[in-house]
Amino acid sequence: MDIAALLLFAGALLIAAGSPGPSIAALVARVLARGHRDVLPFLVAMWLGEAVWLTLAVWGLASIAQTFQLVFVAIKWAGIAYLLYLAWKMWHAPVDTKAGELPGKGSSIRMFGAGLSVTLGNPKIMVFYMAIVPSIIDLRSLTIVGWSELVGVMLLVLAAIDIGWVLLAARMRRLLKSPRALRAANRCSAGMMAGAATVMAAR
Protein backbone atom coordinates (compact mmCIF):
# COMPACT_ATOMS: atom_id res chain seq x y z
CA MET A 1 0.00 0.00 0.00
CA ASP A 2 1.08 3.58 -0.64
CA ILE A 3 3.25 4.82 2.25
CA ALA A 4 1.68 8.28 2.08
CA ALA A 5 -1.79 6.81 2.56
CA LEU A 6 -0.62 4.75 5.55
CA LEU A 7 1.01 7.82 7.12
CA LEU A 8 -2.15 9.85 6.57
CA PHE A 9 -4.21 7.09 8.17
CA ALA A 10 -1.78 6.91 11.10
CA GLY A 11 -1.93 10.68 11.61
CA ALA A 12 -5.72 10.77 11.55
CA LEU A 13 -5.91 7.84 13.98
CA LEU A 14 -3.33 9.44 16.26
CA ILE A 15 -5.45 12.58 16.55
CA ALA A 16 -8.73 10.70 17.00
CA ALA A 17 -7.46 8.04 19.42
CA GLY A 18 -5.31 10.53 21.33
CA SER A 19 -8.41 12.46 22.37
CA PRO A 20 -9.60 10.84 25.62
CA GLY A 21 -12.93 9.08 25.28
CA PRO A 22 -14.83 6.41 27.23
CA SER A 23 -12.23 3.72 26.54
CA ILE A 24 -9.29 5.84 27.73
CA ALA A 25 -11.25 7.06 30.74
CA ALA A 26 -12.07 3.47 31.73
CA LEU A 27 -8.45 2.40 31.17
CA VAL A 28 -6.95 5.21 33.25
CA ALA A 29 -9.53 4.75 35.99
CA ARG A 30 -8.72 1.05 36.22
CA VAL A 31 -4.97 1.66 36.48
CA LEU A 32 -5.42 4.36 39.11
CA ALA A 33 -7.65 2.14 41.21
CA ARG A 34 -5.97 -1.27 40.84
CA GLY A 35 -2.55 -0.77 39.30
CA HIS A 36 -1.30 -1.71 35.84
CA ARG A 37 -0.52 -5.42 36.29
CA ASP A 38 -3.88 -6.79 35.15
CA VAL A 39 -4.72 -4.24 32.48
CA LEU A 40 -3.28 -6.09 29.46
CA PRO A 41 -6.49 -8.04 28.70
CA PHE A 42 -8.39 -4.74 28.63
CA LEU A 43 -5.86 -3.29 26.18
CA VAL A 44 -5.91 -6.36 23.92
CA ALA A 45 -9.71 -6.30 23.85
CA MET A 46 -9.72 -2.60 22.95
CA TRP A 47 -7.33 -3.22 20.07
CA LEU A 48 -9.34 -6.23 18.88
CA GLY A 49 -12.53 -4.17 18.92
CA GLU A 50 -10.86 -1.45 16.86
CA ALA A 51 -9.66 -4.08 14.38
CA VAL A 52 -13.24 -5.31 14.02
CA TRP A 53 -14.51 -1.80 13.18
CA LEU A 54 -11.61 -1.20 10.78
CA THR A 55 -12.31 -4.48 9.02
CA LEU A 56 -16.00 -3.65 8.64
CA ALA A 57 -15.08 -0.30 7.12
CA VAL A 58 -12.38 -1.65 4.82
CA TRP A 59 -14.45 -4.46 3.34
CA GLY A 60 -17.57 -2.35 2.97
CA LEU A 61 -19.53 -4.36 5.50
CA ALA A 62 -21.36 -1.47 7.14
CA SER A 63 -24.56 -3.35 6.29
CA ILE A 64 -23.50 -6.10 8.67
CA ALA A 65 -23.32 -3.59 11.51
CA GLN A 66 -26.82 -2.47 10.57
CA THR A 67 -28.12 -6.04 10.24
CA PHE A 68 -26.79 -6.98 13.63
CA GLN A 69 -27.55 -3.62 15.20
CA LEU A 70 -29.36 -5.21 18.14
CA VAL A 71 -26.27 -7.26 18.93
CA PHE A 72 -24.10 -4.16 19.06
CA VAL A 73 -26.71 -2.36 21.15
CA ALA A 74 -26.73 -5.29 23.59
CA ILE A 75 -22.93 -5.21 23.74
CA LYS A 76 -23.04 -1.48 24.36
CA TRP A 77 -25.44 -1.74 27.31
CA ALA A 78 -23.58 -4.72 28.74
CA GLY A 79 -20.43 -2.60 28.65
CA ILE A 80 -22.23 0.32 30.32
CA ALA A 81 -23.55 -1.95 33.07
CA TYR A 82 -20.10 -3.39 33.69
CA LEU A 83 -18.48 0.05 33.80
CA LEU A 84 -21.05 1.15 36.38
CA TYR A 85 -20.35 -2.01 38.38
CA LEU A 86 -16.62 -1.23 38.29
CA ALA A 87 -17.34 2.34 39.35
CA TRP A 88 -19.29 1.05 42.36
CA LYS A 89 -16.46 -1.36 43.26
CA MET A 90 -13.85 1.41 42.97
CA TRP A 91 -15.90 3.80 45.11
CA HIS A 92 -16.03 1.21 47.91
CA ALA A 93 -12.51 -0.19 47.37
CA PRO A 94 -10.29 -0.68 50.46
CA VAL A 95 -7.60 1.92 51.07
CA ASP A 96 -4.78 -0.51 51.74
CA THR A 97 -2.02 0.65 49.37
CA LYS A 98 -1.09 -2.99 48.65
CA ALA A 99 -4.63 -4.20 48.08
CA GLY A 100 -5.74 -4.56 44.49
CA GLU A 101 -2.25 -4.61 43.02
CA LEU A 102 -2.63 -8.21 41.88
CA PRO A 103 -5.46 -9.39 39.67
CA GLY A 104 -8.10 -11.55 41.26
CA LYS A 105 -9.32 -14.89 40.02
CA GLY A 106 -11.04 -14.56 36.67
CA SER A 107 -10.22 -10.85 36.40
CA SER A 108 -8.46 -11.29 33.05
CA ILE A 109 -11.65 -12.56 31.44
CA ARG A 110 -13.69 -9.79 33.03
CA MET A 111 -11.20 -7.15 31.91
CA PHE A 112 -11.16 -8.54 28.36
CA GLY A 113 -14.95 -8.48 28.25
CA ALA A 114 -15.05 -4.93 29.57
CA GLY A 115 -12.53 -3.69 27.00
CA LEU A 116 -14.36 -5.38 24.13
CA SER A 117 -17.74 -4.05 25.27
CA VAL A 118 -16.46 -0.49 25.63
CA THR A 119 -14.87 -0.54 22.17
CA LEU A 120 -17.59 -2.35 20.19
CA GLY A 121 -20.27 -0.34 21.97
CA ASN A 122 -18.72 3.02 21.11
CA PRO A 123 -20.27 4.33 17.87
CA LYS A 124 -17.64 7.09 17.66
CA ILE A 125 -15.07 4.47 16.68
CA MET A 126 -17.31 3.02 13.96
CA VAL A 127 -18.04 6.50 12.56
CA PHE A 128 -14.32 7.32 12.47
CA TYR A 129 -13.39 4.26 10.43
CA MET A 130 -16.42 4.46 8.16
CA ALA A 131 -15.68 8.13 7.42
CA ILE A 132 -11.89 8.27 7.27
CA VAL A 133 -10.86 5.00 5.63
CA PRO A 134 -12.77 5.43 2.33
CA SER A 135 -11.45 9.00 2.02
CA ILE A 136 -7.82 7.90 2.41
CA ILE A 137 -7.69 4.42 0.90
CA ASP A 138 -8.85 3.25 -2.54
CA LEU A 139 -10.99 0.39 -1.27
CA ARG A 140 -11.64 -0.92 -4.78
CA SER A 141 -8.01 -2.00 -5.16
CA LEU A 142 -7.36 -2.98 -1.56
CA THR A 143 -5.85 -6.43 -1.05
CA ILE A 144 -5.46 -8.67 1.99
CA VAL A 145 -1.88 -7.39 2.28
CA GLY A 146 -3.13 -3.80 2.25
CA TRP A 147 -5.68 -4.61 4.94
CA SER A 148 -2.92 -6.24 7.01
CA GLU A 149 -0.80 -3.11 6.68
CA LEU A 150 -3.69 -0.96 7.85
CA VAL A 151 -4.29 -3.21 10.85
CA GLY A 152 -0.57 -3.19 11.66
CA VAL A 153 -0.41 0.60 11.56
CA MET A 154 -3.58 0.81 13.65
CA LEU A 155 -2.12 -1.50 16.31
CA LEU A 156 1.15 0.45 16.47
CA VAL A 157 -0.62 3.78 16.89
CA LEU A 158 -3.11 2.50 19.45
CA ALA A 159 -0.43 0.66 21.43
CA ALA A 160 1.71 3.79 21.63
CA ILE A 161 -1.22 5.91 22.81
CA ASP A 162 -2.79 3.43 25.23
CA ILE A 163 0.48 2.26 26.81
CA GLY A 164 1.40 5.92 27.26
CA TRP A 165 -1.83 6.46 29.21
CA VAL A 166 -1.16 3.34 31.29
CA LEU A 167 2.35 4.49 32.19
CA LEU A 168 1.11 7.97 33.10
CA ALA A 169 -1.68 6.57 35.28
CA ALA A 170 0.70 4.08 36.92
CA ARG A 171 3.13 6.88 37.73
CA MET A 172 0.31 8.92 39.26
CA ARG A 173 -0.72 5.92 41.32
CA ARG A 174 2.81 5.51 42.73
CA LEU A 175 2.56 9.04 44.11
CA LEU A 176 -0.38 7.97 46.27
CA LYS A 177 1.11 7.03 49.62
CA SER A 178 -1.51 7.79 52.24
CA PRO A 179 -4.85 5.98 52.68
CA ARG A 180 -6.60 9.33 52.26
CA ALA A 181 -4.91 9.96 48.92
CA LEU A 182 -5.67 6.42 47.77
CA ARG A 183 -9.32 6.77 48.78
CA ALA A 184 -9.53 10.02 46.81
CA ALA A 185 -7.94 8.32 43.78
CA ASN A 186 -10.36 5.40 44.03
CA ARG A 187 -13.33 7.76 44.10
CA CYS A 188 -11.90 9.86 41.28
CA SER A 189 -11.48 6.63 39.29
CA ALA A 190 -15.06 5.65 40.11
CA GLY A 191 -16.23 9.02 38.82
CA MET A 192 -14.22 8.58 35.60
CA MET A 193 -15.62 5.08 35.10
CA ALA A 194 -19.20 6.25 35.70
CA GLY A 195 -18.56 9.20 33.38
CA ALA A 196 -17.37 6.85 30.64
CA ALA A 197 -20.56 4.80 31.07
CA THR A 198 -22.66 7.97 30.88
CA VAL A 199 -20.94 9.10 27.67
CA MET A 200 -21.53 5.69 26.08
CA ALA A 201 -25.19 5.71 27.14
CA ALA A 202 -25.72 9.16 25.64
CA ARG A 203 -24.48 8.08 22.18
Side-chain angles (χ1 to χ4, degrees), residues 5-22:
L6 287 174
L7 289 176
L8 190 57
F9 171 71
L13 182 59
L14 185 65
I15 294 171
S19 305

Side-chain angles (χ1 to χ4, degrees), residues 27 36-47 111-112 163:
L27 175 65
H36 66 281
R37 297 185 185 184
D38 64 341
V39 81
L40 182 60
F42 190 92
L43 287 173
V44 171
M46 285 172 56
W47 301 336
M111 289 298 291
F112 184 87
I163 291 173

Side-chain angles (χ1 to χ4, degrees), residues 9-25 27 46-47 50 122 124-125 128-129 153-163 165:
F9 171 71
L13 182 59
L14 185 65
I15 294 171
S19 305
S23 299
I24 296 298
L27 175 65
M46 285 172 56
W47 301 336
E50 296 256 1
N122 186 356
K124 174 186 173 184
I125 299 174
F128 169 78
Y129 287 118
V153 168
M154 179 207 73
L155 290 175
L156 286 175
V157 171
L158 293 178
I161 292 171
D162 295 339
I163 291 173
W165 279 109

Side-chain angles (χ1 to χ4, degrees), residues 23-37 39 43 90 101 161-176 182 185-186 188-189 192:
S23 299
I24 296 298
L27 175 65
V28 170
R30 179 67 181 188
V31 175
L32 284 175
R34 296 292 304 270
H36 66 281
R37 297 185 185 184
V39 81
L43 287 173
M90 289 175 180
E101 282 293 332
I161 292 171
D162 295 339
I163 291 173
W165 279 109
V166 168
L167 294 176
L168 178 62
R171 182 174 179 82
M172 291 172 60
R173 179 176 170 78
R174 284 195 294 270
L175 297 177
L176 304 173
L182 186 56
N186 285 344
C188 177
S189 298
M192 292 173 64

